């Protein structure tokens, strides 16, 4: 059964009166977690869209870059997005459900944050309200501030990002310690690892951006230590 078929099943549950947040409780293990990941990105992406008060075509296109939506499933995806956007439940409830679904320190939560960052900057602007939203979500996910800063520096087009921020390390760490962090980031970006933790194959595209950023950061730090 495809991800979108499982999302259709989730919508059927909604039609029977089950809340969207309750749907997450049925999506704890693979392959259900892949569907849960997709639903989480749609739901939190819809909530984030309300943060800056508008949903742009670029943001919709950015979601399509992360998830391939079959033409016959577009209505289901749109229905889920609109439902999440108009639902009275706050984004905190969605984030709490997602955190419970994956568990503390699960790398999939950082994968999900990357998807949200990707959507947030799609219109060429990173709104302060979007930053507040994403920071609050990361706190609910239990992501450390330094890790959030690293994720942000990989996506938000500020001035040239500090390579230490990109890797989530500090200048006082030894080169061997920094190398270990870099290798860990590269290892966690491997497609097999990502699929194993419930990330849909489509979302693995984000790992390419991550790898470019962390490899560039490592090269800068390593060269600067010579």
């Amino acid at each position: 059964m495809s991800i979108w078929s499982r999302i259709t099943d989730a919508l059927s549950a909604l039609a029977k009166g089950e809340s969207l947040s309750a749907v997450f409780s049925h999506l704890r293990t693979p392959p259900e977690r892949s569907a849960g990941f997709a639903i989480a990105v749609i739901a939190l992406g819809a909530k984030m869209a309300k943060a800056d008060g508008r949903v742009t075509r670029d943001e919709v296109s950015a979601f399509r870059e992360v998830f391939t939506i079959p033409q016959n499933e577009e209505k289901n995806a749109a229905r889920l997005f609109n439902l999440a956007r108009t639902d009275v439940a706050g984004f905190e409830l969605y984030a709490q459900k997602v955190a419970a679904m994956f568990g503390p320190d699960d790398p999939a939560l950082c994968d999900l944050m990357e998807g949200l960052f990707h959507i947030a900057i799609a219109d060429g602007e990173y709104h302060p309200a979007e930053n507040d939203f994403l920071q609050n979500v990361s706190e609910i996910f239990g992501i450390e501030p330094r890790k959030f800063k690293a994720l942000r520096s990989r996506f938000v087009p500020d001035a040239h990002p500090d390579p230490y921020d990109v890797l989530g390390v500090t200048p006082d760490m030894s080169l061997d310690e920094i190398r270990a962090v870099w290798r860990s980031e590269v290892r966690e970006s491997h497609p097999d690892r990502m699929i194993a933790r419930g990330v849909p194959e489509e979302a693995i595209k984000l790992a390419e951006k991550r790898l470019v950023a962390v490899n560039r950061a490592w090269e800068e730090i390593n060269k600067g230590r010579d």
Side-chain angles (χ1 to χ4, degrees):
M1 184 181 291
S2 71
I3 288 175
W4 295 101
S5 294
R6 293 179 185 280
I7 289 177
T8 301
D9 288 347
L11 289 169
S12 297
L14 294 170
K16 295 176 182 178
E18 192 169 1
S19 68
L20 181 56
S21 59
V23 168
F24 287 116
S25 65
H26 304 308
L27 300 166
R28 291 183 178 274
T29 57
E32 286 79 7
R33 282 215 322 182
S34 292
F37 186 97
I39 292 173
V41 174
I42 294 175
L44 289 174
K47 292 294 184 182
M48 183 173 64
K50 295 180 66 176
D52 65 359
R54 62 199 180 101
V55 181
T56 69
R57 290 179 180 272
D58 289 331
E59 287 171 330
V60 175
S61 296
F63 181 81
R64 289 178 179 277
E65 291 174 7
V66 181
F67 294 98
T68 302
I69 305 175
Q71 188 173 2
N72 64 332
E73 297 287 3
E74 288 184 350
K75 289 185 178 180
N76 283 327
R79 180 184 172 194
L80 182 59
F81 187 91
N82 288 328
L83 180 64
R85 187 173 56 180
T86 58
D87 188 11
V88 294
F91 74 87
E92 295 92 348
L93 179 60
Y94 288 94
Q96 289 164 5
K97 291 288 185 179
V98 173
M101 179 175 69
F102 287 102
D105 301 321
D106 193 312
L109 295 174
C110 285
D111 296 328
L112 200 158
M113 287 297 301
E114 288 185 337
L116 294 176
F117 269 112
H118 181 69
I119 295 170
I121 66 169
D123 59 0
E125 179 183 4
Y126 186 62
H127 196 279
E130 291 174 324
N131 184 73
D132 292 342
F133 176 94
L134 291 173
Q135 190 163 13
N136 287 334
V137 169
S138 73
E139 291 172 358
I140 294 173
F141 284 177
I143 295 174
E144 296 181 354
R146 188 170 70 179
K147 183 64 176 179
F148 174 79
K149 188 176 182 180
L151 291 170
R152 182 182 183 279
S153 66
R154 296 173 192 171
F155 285 87
V156 181
D158 289 338
H160 182 72
D162 186 316
Y164 290 96
D165 287 344
V166 172
L167 277 179
V169 296
T170 57
D172 61 339
M173 293 173 65
S174 70
L175 191 60
D176 287 341
E177 290 174 319
I178 296 173
R179 182 185 290 108
V181 172
W182 166 63
R183 286 178 173 171
S184 176
E185 290 285 350
V186 172
R187 186 168 55 250
E188 291 299 329
S189 299
H190 192 281
D192 290 344
R193 288 259 186 162
M194 297 182 73
I195 292 173
R197 59 182 182 251
V199 178
E201 291 185 28
E202 294 89 344
I204 294 173
K205 297 174 186 177
L206 289 176
E208 298 174 6
K209 180 185 287 288
R210 180 195 310 166
L211 279 173
V212 169
V214 300
N215 284 335
R216 181 183 296 124
W218 164 247
E219 289 172 4
E220 288 186 32
I221 293 173
N222 190 33
K223 183 177 180 180
R225 296 287 185 98
D226 289 343

